[in-house]
Amino acid sequence: MDGRPPTQGTTFGRQRERASIDELLTRVDGPRIMLVEGEAGSGRTRLLEEAARRAADEGFAVVVADTAPELRRPAVLERLLSVLGEPGRHAPPTDGQDRLAERLRAALERRARATSLLVVLDDLEWADPATVLALRTLPIQLASSPVCWILARRTSSGGTDLDRLFLRLQTGGAVLLQLRPLSGEAVSDLVTAALGARPDSGLRVLADRAGGNPLLLLELMNGLLDEGGVVISQGYARLVTSRLPERARIVIQGRLDDLDPEARRLLEVAAMLGPTFHPLAAADLLGISPSGLLPSLEAILATGLLTAREEALVFRHDVVRESVITSIPGPVRQALHVQIGRTLLEHGGRVNAASTHLMAGAVPGVPEVLQSLDEASAEMLDTCPAAAAELTRRALDLTEPTDPRRFARTMTAMRALVAAGNLMGAAELAEAALDQCASGPSTAELLTTLSFVLVPMGQAARASDTAKVVLDMPDLPDEVRDRAELALLQAEAGLQESGNVLDRARAIVKAGDVPGRGLVAGALIVLALNGWDEGDLIGALEFTRTGVRQAFDDGVHECRLHPGLILASFLVDVRLMDEARQAMVLGTGGADGIGRDGWAAGPAIVRSRIDLAEGRPEEAIRGARAALEAADAVGAHLLGACARSALALAALRSGDLETATEHSLGDAGGSAPPPFDLTRSELVRAQVTEACDGPRAALPGLSRLLDGLAAHNRALTCDPTAAAWLVRTAVAADETRSAEEVVAAADRLADMNPGLPSLAASAEHARGLLRGDPDLLRNAAAVHADHWARASAYEDLGILLGGVGDARGRTIRFFDEALSSYAAAGAERDAARIRGRLRRMGERRRHWNHRDRPATGWDSLTGTEQRISGLVARGLTNQRIADQLSVSVHTVAFHLRQVFRKLDIRSRVELARQAIEQSDDPPDVHSTKSPDGA
């Protein structure tokens, strides 16, 4: 040995096969025949050697003959006779093959009378026809003698005659033993034995790429040792190279040398196609018919390098594929990448793979490659914009500044980046291109596209200025002017003071289809947003519905705010939930259609609001959080602010004041509140402040909304309970005049929109609170379609009655109604407050659901115990937890004692660790603080 670990003579991962050999050697009746198949390097020969040793140890006489052909070596039957001591070579010339087979049968019978025999024949794919023919009968003729047979070949090799032999013997009772790839445990054992150390993750990945082939594994590990590709220290081996060792390459090359040139060429093309490929793609690349592949394909399959699955062919060993690829000269590889990319696009459905190949083949100085990138990016723009963006950016990198196609590639790259949601990348590309772009139509197109991009990024004023610059340019083509006009409409619709945008929008709508249907849809949205703000909700809904119809398949592919998104948001505000869900999917191309490009997070925000309105706050929180992540990922700060507002409100309703506080304050960049009527961040911020610090603390943040109620109705239309909450807060802060203004505005809003019941209920709720009128509150509770709004009205009604004297029974009944509705809304904190009110009246209401739980562990905790554990993980003190859940500090302490007992822990640190492990959304331990500074 050369100092390496002892792997010679050791068989790894073949316990099942060894057990089958033991069973063969101990069988006393029936066929004693084993057929062994395995690919090259699978350990077949080593297993047979071990079988021979085991048989010899058991007293068998072992007869072994190598069937591989060599110059001047006698045929297999003669060699067997020679091993048995019979004169096969010098037999009379008249002895035919039948005579040799008969003499071999007789010799085996004579030897078997004295001792049991094991006949081992390996590499039968090389056996001469006479041997194959003799083996059809010899094992059966000797079935009554103690003769065991092990006949082995390389998988699927040897031709039709050998296939028939194996099938015949199997039919007669022979056992077929197929040497499959080593299991993961066996691979790990073999690698550890070969290196004398435990492999690191890189070595384990490399070993997996050998496909469980023992020979490849050994050559990989021994080659790494030879070439210094591993560092061994303290019993661990670390991979320090990415190159395949030469020993492994030599073994692989030896297997490839058996292939003829056509099969070798097919294997090279297949390797370039990927680990899995379809023969049709390979045939197209080689310029032949699929039937023309059959001879080469059969030859490759016979080597075991490929295996067939239902719909594709697969490389058995990734290291073989990599070795084949690296043997192809670099320029040829690049050309093949381009050709494969084109072919995959022609077949369709594999745009990502096509993109990868085209990117790998893109090199400077080859115009044909740039043309291929252009064609591929154009084809993939609608179906796979991210891949199209990568291709076009690569094409731009390879394009000279003076190339006349550079501007067209820049525009394509911008459209692809916007479609892929990379708003910041699109804006940066536009600004860089403007420095190199001459004035005129090219500049107009770039600025118009930039204006569309800036709006979802939260830069509406800059977007408006950019669009105006375009419209001031002389001699603009009509198409460019219409696009710039649409960009200006979208930008100014997002501004608090939009100047003459309303007159512009009315003129466009009056002109009808003359400027273009997309432009009309944009104008309708401007009018709808203005109508909604002024209180004409029915008119705004009609404008928006018309805009949805106009926008349907209007051919506008800009980064625009789709009317369907605005319509769905409006409908949620007034609690027309069925139509809101339909607006997300009907006539707009689905939710993806109304949330394309930079607005992709919009549908998730609206769905979150739908979930909250229908009593699913946890789902609303998850949806809003996902929308926030999506918006932040693409730089859509406007929608990020909307998502934060939706998340804060959902968290407030569920009772998670910490999350509500965190997200009601806006993003870290200090973005302004969203100007579009998707959420009402100022109102939500005030509601969170009131929940944490009381009504007096909330009122200053409402001054702008309250002062503008005479002209603007946004504060009252975003939620059915907004008016009642504003009245309640103003009265509690001794601001009666503000409360009266809210009631007057709510009444005016309801009168203007008699077909919207939610507005009537909201107005009655607010008026009933201000006047202390139980009939108005009762009517509001009956009309409210929203669970939380109904619960709030019943709670206000119960508080108004006071529970004294004859009113006690009605008060308890109204509080019970409130409790039921808060529970239906998923508002745990509000439900806890109602239970507290009832307890103070001497009434107790259970607040748990019975279900079977284990005695210990996280799953044994009740919902309240899990919630308290989550708040502990966020760093809250017992007092802060009690405030958030509307319970006493003693109740929190009691629940924590139960939690510590069930989890068998002794500290809040241990509880926080387990709560974070169990949470789907663990807090950021680097940034989260408790309100007490912990």
Side-chain angles (χ1 to χ4, degrees):
M1 301 290 288
D2 56 5
R4 291 180 181 154
T7 56
Q8 291 293 330
T10 305
T11 304
F12 291 86
R14 299 299 185 199
Q15 292 83 354
R16 181 181 63 85
E17 290 81 354
R18 290 200 295 270
S20 297
I21 291 173
D22 290 342
E23 183 180 351
L24 173 73
L25 297 178
T26 57
R27 182 175 294 177
V28 295
D29 57 359
R32 289 185 283 267
I33 308 167
M34 177 172 288
L35 309 174
V36 180
E37 292 183 341
E39 66 174 0
S42 62
R44 186 183 69 246
T45 300
R46 182 170 294 183
L47 182 68
L48 298 185
E49 290 172 353
E50 182 177 345
R53 287 195 301 270
R54 294 166 76 88
D57 292 343
E58 296 295 329
F60 279 73
V62 181
V63 181
V64 180
D66 189 356
T67 60
E70 288 185 7
L71 188 63
R72 295 187 300 276
R73 191 155 72 173
V76 177
L77 295 180
E78 295 181 20
R79 293 202 297 278
L80 282 172
L81 285 169
S82 177
V83 170
L84 290 167
E86 298 290 331
R89 176 183 292 271
H90 305 292
T94 55
D95 277 7
Q97 296 299 331
D98 291 342
R99 178 62 179 157
L100 283 175
E102 180 59 29
R103 290 178 58 200
L104 178 59
R105 184 193 64 77
L108 290 171
E109 276 189 336
R110 284 194 297 273
R111 180 64 63 90
R113 294 192 189 106
T115 183
S116 298
L117 290 178
L118 173 63
V119 180
V120 180
L121 298 179
D122 195 7
D123 296 317
L124 276 177
E125 63 270 16
W126 299 109
D128 56 284
T131 301
V132 175
L133 182 62
L135 290 175
R136 290 171 62 89
T137 57
L138 277 174
I140 297 173
Q141 291 172 342
L142 295 170
S144 60
S145 301
V147 179
C148 295
W149 300 80
I150 299 181
L151 309 178
R153 67 166 176 173
R154 186 181 297 180
T155 302
S156 302
S157 60
T160 304
D161 289 341
L162 193 57
D163 291 340
R164 290 172 178 166
L165 169 64
F166 271 50
L167 182 58
R168 176 185 176 90
L169 294 176
Q170 276 185 268
T171 304
V175 175
L176 176 63
L177 196 64
Q178 294 178 318
L179 300 185
R180 303 190 182 280
L182 296 181
S183 66
E185 182 180 357
V187 167
S188 179
D189 291 343
L190 178 54
V191 171
T192 302
L195 299 176
R198 296 181 64 84
D200 71 349
S201 59
L203 279 167
R204 289 195 295 270
V205 171
L206 178 61
D208 289 340
R209 291 167 56 199
N213 185 282
L215 177 61
L216 272 180
L217 279 168
L218 281 174
E219 295 304 326
L220 275 173
M221 298 306 124
N222 290 333
L224 289 172
L225 289 171
D226 289 342
E227 300 174 16
V230 292
V231 173
I232 297 177
S233 175
Q234 298 182 344
Y236 286 88
R238 179 169 58 89
L239 183 66
V240 294
T241 182
S242 59
R243 293 182 63 254
L244 283 179
E246 193 61 28
R247 286 180 62 156
R249 294 183 186 277
I250 292 173
V251 170
I252 294 169
Q253 189 62 44
R255 298 182 66 176
L256 300 182
D257 287 343
D258 295 337
L259 299 174
D260 60 41
E262 290 186 359
R264 178 67 177 265
R265 187 161 58 251
L266 170 60
L267 191 67
E268 289 172 343
V269 169
M272 292 290 295
L273 282 169
T276 302
F277 69 96
H278 196 281
L280 185 60
D284 283 350
L285 289 169
L286 292 170
I288 60 178
S289 65
S291 61
L293 287 181
L294 288 178
S296 297
L297 201 53
E298 290 173 353
I300 298 173
L301 289 170
T303 65
L305 297 173
L306 296 177
T307 184
R309 292 186 181 167
E310 289 184 3
E311 298 181 354
L313 296 172
V314 182
F315 273 84
R316 291 284 301 275
H317 318 294
D318 197 49
V319 291
V320 172
R321 176 175 166 268
E322 180 182 336
S323 181
V324 172
I325 291 175
T326 54
S327 68
I328 303 173
V332 178
R333 280 204 306 271
Q334 290 168 346
L336 280 172
H337 276 304
V338 175
Q339 185 184 4
I340 291 170
R342 290 172 175 171
T343 302
L344 292 177
L345 285 177
E346 290 173 3
H347 283 285
R350 298 193 62 188
V351 290
N352 288 328
S355 171
T356 301
H357 282 290
L358 290 170
M359 293 280 286
V363 293
V366 185
E368 293 80 8
V369 174
L370 290 177
Q371 183 178 352
S372 296
L373 292 176
D374 290 340
E375 294 171 356
S377 61
E379 185 170 342
M380 288 190 283
L381 184 58
D382 291 333
T383 57
C384 192
E390 287 187 23
L391 288 174
T392 314
R393 290 296 293 267
R394 178 59 175 161
L396 271 178
D397 292 340
L398 299 175
T399 303
E400 296 293 333
T402 56
D403 191 322
R405 289 196 55 80
R406 184 171 183 85
F407 173 73
R409 289 192 179 115
T410 300
M411 294 303 299
T412 302
M414 283 191 63
R415 285 193 293 270
L417 287 168
V418 171
N422 187 354
L423 302 182
M424 190 171 297
E428 291 173 353
L429 181 60
E431 290 164 354
L434 285 170
D435 296 335
Q436 304 172 357
C437 188
S439 60
S442 298
T443 300
E445 285 193 52
L446 273 172
L447 288 173
T448 301
T449 304
L450 178 59
S451 177
F452 278 110
V453 170
L454 290 173
V455 175
M457 292 179 67
Q459 302 180 40
R462 185 181 167 201
S464 174
D465 293 341
T466 303
K468 289 176 181 177
V469 169
V470 177
L471 292 171
D472 288 340
M473 291 181 180
D475 302 324
L476 278 179
D478 290 342
E479 182 182 354
V480 176
R481 182 172 294 278
D482 285 348
R483 289 179 58 237
E485 192 78 60
L486 179 59
L488 180 61
L489 286 172
Q490 174 161 294
E492 296 204 347
L495 296 175
Q496 300 294 338
E497 300 297 333
S498 55
N500 65 349
V501 66
L502 291 176
D503 293 337
R504 189 186 299 264
R506 292 187 185 103
I508 291 171
V509 173
K510 184 178 181 180
D513 287 342
V514 176
R517 296 184 67 195
L519 190 52
V520 173
L524 286 166
I525 288 305
V526 170
L527 298 177
L529 288 170
N530 180 73
W532 198 264
D533 186 41
E534 291 183 347
D536 183 10
L537 275 59
I538 293 178
L541 286 171
E542 188 55 36
F543 277 135
T544 315
R545 292 182 180 112
T546 306
V548 169
R549 292 192 293 270
Q550 289 279 0
F552 178 67
D553 197 25
D554 61 6
V556 176
H557 298 291
E558 307 295 347
C559 179
R560 70 166 179 187
L561 176 59
H562 196 287
L565 194 59
I566 293 292
L567 176 60
S569 180
F570 283 172
L571 292 167
V572 176
D573 284 349
V574 294
R575 294 305 187 262
L576 298 177
M577 306 307 295
D578 291 340
E579 189 181 352
R581 283 188 291 269
Q582 292 174 3
M584 297 285 286
V585 294
L586 295 181
T588 61
D592 294 335
I594 64 173
R596 285 183 354 200
D597 310 333
W599 302 93
I605 296 172
V606 176
R607 279 194 293 266
S608 171
R609 297 184 58 211
I610 290 174
D611 285 332
L612 181 62
E614 294 182 339
R616 298 183 295 273
E618 296 302 325
E619 293 183 27
I621 289 173
R622 285 194 292 271
R625 200 182 295 278
L628 176 59
E629 292 175 357
D632 287 349
V634 303
H637 302 300
L638 173 62
L639 288 180
C642 294
R644 280 186 169 83
S645 183
L647 177 55
L649 182 58
L652 176 64
R653 291 286 175 84
S654 72
D656 186 353
L657 294 185
E658 301 305 314
T659 298
T661 301
E662 175 188 354
H663 291 286
S664 67
L665 299 179
D667 62 14
S671 296
F676 291 104
D677 196 17
L678 295 177
T679 56
R680 288 292 176 271
S681 60
E682 293 180 28
L683 181 63
V684 172
R685 185 183 301 119
Q687 289 176 333
V688 173
T689 302
E690 186 271 337
C692 294
D693 303 316
R696 289 189 179 277
L699 207 59
L702 293 170
S703 58
R704 193 183 69 85
L705 294 178
L706 292 172
D707 291 343
L709 281 178
H712 303 286
N713 292 273
R714 288 191 296 267
L716 302 183
T717 57
C718 63
D719 190 292
T721 61
W725 182 85
L726 287 169
V727 169
R728 191 183 304 112
T729 303
V731 169
D734 296 326
E735 293 287 343
T736 306
R737 181 177 177 182
S738 295
E740 291 173 347
E741 291 175 351
V742 171
V743 171
D747 285 339
R748 184 174 62 253
L749 194 61
D751 292 340
M752 291 175 63
N753 302 276
L756 297 175
S758 66
L759 297 181
S762 177
E764 286 193 320
H765 193 167
R767 201 173 342 116
L769 271 174
L770 181 62
R771 296 180 181 177
D773 188 331
D775 291 333
L776 288 174
L777 291 177
R778 189 181 299 107
N779 291 340
V783 175
H784 271 310
D786 182 275
H787 290 301
W788 200 90
R790 184 185 307 116
S792 175
Y794 275 125
E795 182 179 7
D796 290 332
L797 181 57
I799 294 172
L800 178 63
L801 294 178
V804 179
D806 296 340
R808 172 183 168 81
R810 286 181 294 156
T811 301
I812 292 174
R813 177 162 57 85
F814 292 139
F815 279 157
D816 279 336
E817 291 284 358
L819 180 61
S820 175
S821 294
Y822 278 137
E828 297 182 13
R829 178 174 179 270
D830 300 297
R833 183 179 62 252
I834 296 298
R835 283 192 292 269
R837 295 185 187 280
L838 287 167
R839 279 196 301 273
R840 288 190 289 276
M841 296 181 68
E843 300 288 328
R844 303 188 66 85
R845 299 293 183 268
R846 58 179 294 173
H847 58 281
W848 61 86
N849 294 319
H850 174 75
R851 65 180 178 90
D852 293 332
R853 294 188 179 91
T856 59
W858 186 263
D859 290 338
S860 70
L861 303 186
T862 65
T864 301
E865 290 167 351
Q866 289 187 6
R867 186 168 186 82
I868 289 175
S869 300
L871 295 175
V872 168
R874 293 181 179 271
L876 273 67
T877 64
N878 283 12
Q879 183 61 61
R880 291 289 294 177
I881 295 172
D883 293 342
Q884 184 160 150
L885 298 183
S886 297
V887 297
S888 69
V889 177
H890 300 295
T891 300
V892 174
F894 169 78
H895 284 301
L896 280 176
R897 287 195 296 272
Q898 300 301 312
V899 170
F900 279 33
R901 176 182 60 79
K902 292 178 180 180
L903 299 182
D904 192 24
I905 56 177
R906 292 174 176 78
S907 72
R908 295 171 81 94
V909 174
E910 292 180 80
L911 175 58
R913 179 183 58 79
Q914 290 201 30
I916 291 172
E917 289 175 353
Q918 296 291 333
S919 174
D920 293 332
D921 180 41
D924 184 350
V925 297
H926 300 293
S927 62
T928 300
K929 288 184 178 180
S930 75
D932 303 318

